[in-house]
Amino acid sequence: MPCPRRTGRSWSRRMTHLRQWAHHPHRKESKVSSAGIVPLLGRVAAAVSEAIVRVRPEMADADPVVRRSDRADFQSNAALPLAKKVGMPPAQLGGELAANLDLTDGVIADVQVSGPGFLNISLADRAIWASVAARLADERLGVPTTENGHRVVIDYSAPNVAKEMHVGHLRTTIIGDSLARVFGFLGADVVRANHLGDWGTQFGMLIQYIDEHPESPWHTEELDADTSSVSALDSLYKAARAQFDADPAFADRARARVVALQGGDADTVARWREIVAESEKAFGAIYDRLGVLLTPDDYVGESFYNDQLAETVTELVDKGVAVDSDGAIVVLSEQVTGPDDQPVVLMVRKRDGGYGYDSTDLATIRYRIASLHADRLLYVTDSRQALHFQLIFEAARRVGWLTEAIQVDHVAYGTILGPDGKPFKTRAGGTVRLMGLLDEAAARVRAVVADKNPDLSAAELDTIAEQAGIGAVKYADLSTSRVKDYSFDLDRMTTLNGNTGVYLQYAHARVCSILRKAHAATQATVDTAGPLEPAERELALALDGYGTVLAEVAEVLEPHRLAGYLYDLARSYTTFYDTCPVIAADEPIRSNRIALCQLTARTLELGLGQLGMAAPQRM
């Protein structure tokens, strides 16, 4: 099964860092470095933890349970679980914690005990402005490089050669790309692994059909402008499949061609390479359009592991993990049983000596650990493959490849549904082509933006429509918890209102417009002694939470937390702008508000980038 998230140990590590920072001799200075800026939530959590140690030293590792609150800046609920453990009233323990909370370092201005023992904590205005100034002065906005070069291998997208990418490839590609961006920003050594389906019996069938039907065009230069090579190959494969099923003689020839391919026959391998190359061109066009990070250097197809399969099976057998079963080699699960109460089987080698997906995935995880030296492995595939990966991970542990030092996760996701709540299909019942879907999204957004801003030139409108159309599709996916199904509704996705990608991009463009009007080309100076209005306070605290949410995404592998954070930030900015004049304000209020605008724009731009979305300056 996937490794546990280790939330307890993660919290312990985080608190150790916070305590070290809290006792640093220069802690009152704004520090800008790769170590990052400790967020205000973290500083409050550290202070509460220190109070716990003073009151109950034996509870030194207790969670301070600090979160944002609508009754104060932050609230700590630590007294409730701790009081139960030590056998005293929560309100009494809360009072003792409040009395021992350090108010001398200029961060916490006030603490009040409420209800059954909640600590309502308010921060000093100066500390909040200092946080804004420090983040604005840092090119990373104060976010630390917490991954410290850890090698994270992310397996995502994985289309099949000779088949068009369709809506079913959308979630793995978008979620995997966002995780790659977040981990890369946090300092990980990210290996993007596009595990192409480029090997197997279907290629013998396709190659044989192409050779027997030379009049069928499929190379790019042979096709009209509206037909892609991979679309033509997809059609040829369907025709080959139909003939394979109907014509035993052709089926025999196709099987012989599979043997020739696996045996390295020069002509067969050359044709196979042509098919792979044409398919990779089509994949590249999709990736370029989607704006994902995948390049041909990231393509590592199933064929790459072909010469590793035999030695992988040998190691599994030699170590007693795989056993003979009527001539086949299998791994019998020690964790999962089927309806017959018998162990679920992982097929390592078939009776005829052939290999399948199980074999390839075992060779893949072995290679990524032994040769790529991965510290963490992420497999971004749909939830229907959960059992398969559970068995792969179990076998990898039993054979000794996967150790406690290596974390592995199946990053499972739900299904894309149509407006009718059923799996998304065309009206004819077929799969929805991904390129066609993106075309439609861009067209919808073009109409929305043209109506909103009719003064845009055609060129500007085309650029914005493409950026916002792709962004709308991505955000609709990433703003939903990946484990849930969601309905694909372009009308809802492309609106300027509500929780949509277009709304966020428009919010960024509006901030940029304000900064242009304010002639704020250089970084604003923050007066930390300046006053702080409620809307300014809310926005500043929202901005301070950026690094925290990125750490959460890396911990639980849920990009929707970043999407939700950016939406809340945009709403906080709207409230700020509606109640706090920027350009007309007097100094130093004007500079402080410009600083908030600048930090908001940079945070939205960076955050949207980590979702793989553009941040237009005009819309």
Side-chain angles (χ1 to χ4, degrees), residues 165-181:
M165 290 184 71
H166 53 77
V167 69
H169 296 105
L170 190 62
R171 301 211 73 183
T172 174
T173 304
I174 291 174
I175 294 169
D177 187 67
S178 180
L179 291 174
R181 291 171 182 273

Side-chain angles (χ1 to χ4, degrees), residues 412-485:
Y413 53 81
T415 302
I416 298 179
L417 306 175
D420 59 358
K422 298 178 181 179
F424 196 29
K425 300 284 186 180
T426 64
R427 291 182 179 178
T431 55
V432 179
R433 292 174 55 251
L434 194 47
M435 191 64 87
L437 197 68
L438 300 180
D439 288 341
E440 187 175 354
R444 295 282 187 96
V445 171
R446 194 180 198 281
V448 171
V449 175
D451 182 64
K452 181 73 175 179
N453 193 346
D455 295 331
L456 287 171
S457 68
E460 286 179 310
L461 191 55
D462 287 343
T463 298
I464 292 169
E466 182 70 8
Q467 291 178 334
I470 301 301
V473 171
K474 284 187 167 186
Y475 187 80
D477 192 303
L478 294 172
S479 60
T480 303
S481 173
R482 61 173 168 79
V483 299
K484 296 181 179 179
D485 299 342

Side-chain angles (χ1 to χ4, degrees), residues 136-148:
L136 192 59
D138 183 7
E139 63 180 10
R140 294 179 54 81
L141 307 186
V143 180
T145 51
T146 52
E147 289 297 315
N148 299 319

Side-chain angles (χ1 to χ4, degrees), residues 144-153 183-191 372-376:
T145 51
T146 52
E147 289 297 315
N148 299 319
H150 293 151
R151 177 158 288 188
V152 181
V153 179
F183 274 100
F185 181 73
L186 294 178
D189 176 13
V190 175
V191 177
L372 297 183
H373 308 292
D375 297 300
R376 190 171 187 182

Side-chain angles (χ1 to χ4, degrees), residues 281-618:
K281 288 179 187 176
F283 301 154
I286 290 281
Y287 296 145
D288 288 345
R289 183 105 187 257
L290 277 173
V292 299
L293 298 174
L294 289 169
T295 70
D297 291 340
D298 304 316
Y299 300 168
V300 185
E302 294 171 352
S303 60
F304 175 82
Y305 303 99
N306 193 49
D307 61 0
Q308 302 175 37
L309 298 177
E311 62 188 41
T312 298
V313 174
T314 297
E315 185 173 352
L316 287 161
V317 171
D318 289 348
K319 292 185 178 180
V321 177
V323 297
D324 181 271
S325 176
D326 295 330
I329 302 298
V330 302
V331 174
L332 302 175
S333 176
E334 295 178 348
Q335 299 177 356
V336 185
T337 57
D340 57 358
D341 291 329
Q342 296 300 309
V344 174
V345 172
L346 198 63
M347 182 64 68
V348 177
R349 191 176 68 205
K350 301 175 185 178
R351 289 186 180 89
D352 62 4
Y355 304 99
Y357 292 118
D358 294 349
S359 318
T360 303
D361 281 342
L362 285 166
T364 300
I365 195 169
R366 176 176 178 261
Y367 172 81
R368 290 172 179 172
I369 293 169
S371 299
L372 297 183
H373 308 292
D375 297 300
R376 190 171 187 182
L377 296 163
L378 306 180
Y379 289 81
V380 187
T381 72
D382 72 64
S383 55
R384 292 172 295 180
Q385 298 188 49
L387 176 59
H388 170 75
F389 282 109
Q390 181 178 352
L391 298 175
I392 293 292
F393 300 159
E394 179 196 341
R397 286 194 186 89
R398 286 168 59 188
V399 79
W401 304 331
L402 193 55
T403 67
E404 283 296 317
I406 302 168
Q407 189 168 352
V408 62
D409 294 272
H410 176 213
V411 186
Y413 53 81
T415 302
I416 298 179
L417 306 175
D420 59 358
K422 298 178 181 179
F424 196 29
K425 300 284 186 180
T426 64
R427 291 182 179 178
T431 55
V432 179
R433 292 174 55 251
L434 194 47
M435 191 64 87
L437 197 68
L438 300 180
D439 288 341
E440 187 175 354
R444 295 282 187 96
V445 171
R446 194 180 198 281
V448 171
V449 175
D451 182 64
K452 181 73 175 179
N453 193 346
D455 295 331
L456 287 171
S457 68
E460 286 179 310
L461 191 55
D462 287 343
T463 298
I464 292 169
E466 182 70 8
Q467 291 178 334
I470 301 301
V473 171
K474 284 187 167 186
Y475 187 80
D477 192 303
L478 294 172
S479 60
T480 303
S481 173
R482 61 173 168 79
V483 299
K484 296 181 179 179
D485 299 342
Y486 79 94
S487 294
F488 196 94
D489 184 345
L490 277 175
D491 288 335
R492 179 181 57 81
M493 292 177 184
T494 56
T495 181
L496 282 169
N497 302 311
N499 190 6
T500 68
V502 183
Y503 168 76
L504 282 184
Q505 290 174 315
Y506 181 73
H508 176 264
R510 186 170 67 158
V511 182
C512 292
S513 174
I514 294 165
L515 291 173
R516 285 193 299 271
K517 292 176 181 176
H519 305 291
T522 59
Q523 183 178 301
T525 300
V526 177
D527 179 3
T528 59
L532 191 63
E533 294 294 327
E536 294 172 317
R537 186 181 209 89
E538 181 64 26
L539 178 58
L541 289 173
L543 290 163
D544 192 78
Y546 179 54
T548 301
V549 78
L550 288 184
E552 290 175 359
V553 171
E555 181 71 22
V556 301
L557 309 175
E558 286 274 20
H560 84 276
R561 298 197 181 197
L562 174 57
Y565 165 82
L566 294 174
Y567 176 61
D568 289 341
L569 175 62
R571 291 201 302 171
S572 293
Y573 181 81
T574 297
T575 301
F576 157 78
Y577 181 73
D578 288 344
T579 58
C580 299
V582 176
I583 299 174
D586 296 327
E587 293 293 356
I589 294 173
R590 185 178 190 273
S591 290
N592 280 11
R593 289 179 179 174
I594 287 175
L596 284 171
C597 291
Q598 291 175 333
L599 187 54
T600 299
R602 288 178 56 191
T603 304
L604 285 173
E605 180 181 18
L606 193 53
L608 286 170
Q610 285 153 357
L611 295 178
M613 295 170 58
Q617 294 194 5
R618 299 176 187 272

Side-chain angles (χ1 to χ4, degrees), residues 74-187:
F74 295 99
Q75 184 178 84
S76 170
N77 298 347
L80 279 68
L82 291 180
K84 187 175 181 179
K85 290 181 180 180
V86 300
M88 64 185 299
Q92 179 184 340
L93 181 56
E96 292 183 13
L97 292 177
N100 282 274
L101 204 61
D102 183 6
L103 305 184
T104 64
D105 68 352
V107 176
I108 298 175
D110 183 59
V111 57
Q112 299 290 329
V113 182
S114 70
F118 300 140
L119 302 186
N120 290 330
I121 300 169
S122 299
L123 304 187
D125 292 358
R126 184 181 292 272
I128 295 175
W129 280 125
S131 170
V132 171
R135 291 184 183 281
L136 192 59
D138 183 7
E139 63 180 10
R140 294 179 54 81
L141 307 186
V143 180
T145 51
T146 52
E147 289 297 315
N148 299 319
H150 293 151
R151 177 158 288 188
V152 181
V153 179
I154 307 179
D155 184 322
Y156 67 105
S157 195
N160 290 315
V161 163
K163 293 185 179 180
E164 283 194 282
M165 290 184 71
H166 53 77
V167 69
H169 296 105
L170 190 62
R171 301 211 73 183
T172 174
T173 304
I174 291 174
I175 294 169
D177 187 67
S178 180
L179 291 174
R181 291 171 182 273
V182 170
F183 274 100
F185 181 73
L186 294 178

